[in-house]
Amino acid sequence: ATQVCTELRWLAGSNGPRIEAIFGGVSQQRQVQALRRGVDIVVACPGRLMDLLDQNQIRLDGIDAVERGQFAQASAAPWYISTSIRPGA
């Protein structure tokens, strides 16, 4: 997810959309803070995305597009969610 975000940020340029990587193995705090500030594109690994959904830290209403990585294993493929992500309730 981090590598995808790095490339998206490079492609988008300095005035591009706000992009955030959501993945496990690290503290959720920075990720949740970024979501609360607002993001335009989220690149999320399924496990952490499900954790944040279960904790009401993220909502997926208003999604414009969802794409699944084509070259990763199905269980580990990140989902690319392009939307105005809203923090949980």
Side-chain angles (χ1 to χ4, degrees):
T2 302
Q3 292 170 326
V4 172
C5 278
T6 299
E7 294 301 316
L8 286 173
R9 287 179 183 127
W10 180 80
L11 289 169
S14 60
N15 293 323
R18 295 164 296 179
I19 303 168
E20 185 63 31
I22 303 295
F23 55 93
V26 298
S27 170
Q28 292 182 10
Q29 184 176 1
R30 189 188 67 76
Q31 296 170 354
V32 169
Q33 288 173 346
L35 292 172
R36 288 185 178 157
R37 285 190 304 269
V39 297
D40 300 304
I41 298 174
V42 170
V43 180
C45 292
R48 177 55 58 92
L49 179 60
M50 295 303 295
D51 290 343
L52 295 177
L53 285 166
D54 290 344
Q55 297 167 20
N56 293 317
Q57 295 291 344
I58 190 171
R59 296 184 353 218
L60 300 182
D61 54 339
I63 291 176
D64 296 326
V66 176
E67 295 183 29
R68 189 169 188 160
Q70 296 177 350
F71 301 106
Q73 292 179 330
S75 63
W79 289 86
Y80 312 113
I81 301 175
S82 171
T83 184
S84 295
I85 299 289
R86 296 180 194 94

